[in-house]
Amino acid sequence: MEETPLEATRKYVEGVTWPVDKETLIERMEANGAPDDVLQTLRDTDKDRFTAPSEIQNALWMEA
């Protein structure tokens, strides 16, 4: 991951309405140009629902 989890979260979650299910989140982040490694990390997480950007950051930090 070239960006920090904070940068990636800010950059790719534009247009997300919280809370959001994992599938919708991944679709929105993919449409916003998120790289494959970020998307795969979210696919691999056990969470099915995200209530805030901080939960995405936490998932990405675990993989960083």
Side-chain angles (χ1 to χ4, degrees), residues 5-6 9 13 18-22 25 29 38 41-42 45-63:
L6 178 59
T9 301
V13 298
W18 307 96
V20 63
D21 64 86
K22 183 181 352 186
L25 174 65
M29 291 182 74
V38 169
T41 297
L42 294 175
T45 189
D46 292 338
K47 293 187 73 58
D48 292 325
R49 187 172 177 83
F50 294 82
T51 59
S54 60
E55 292 181 345
I56 298 169
Q57 293 169 22
N58 290 338
L60 296 177
W61 275 116
M62 300 280 254
E63 290 296 315

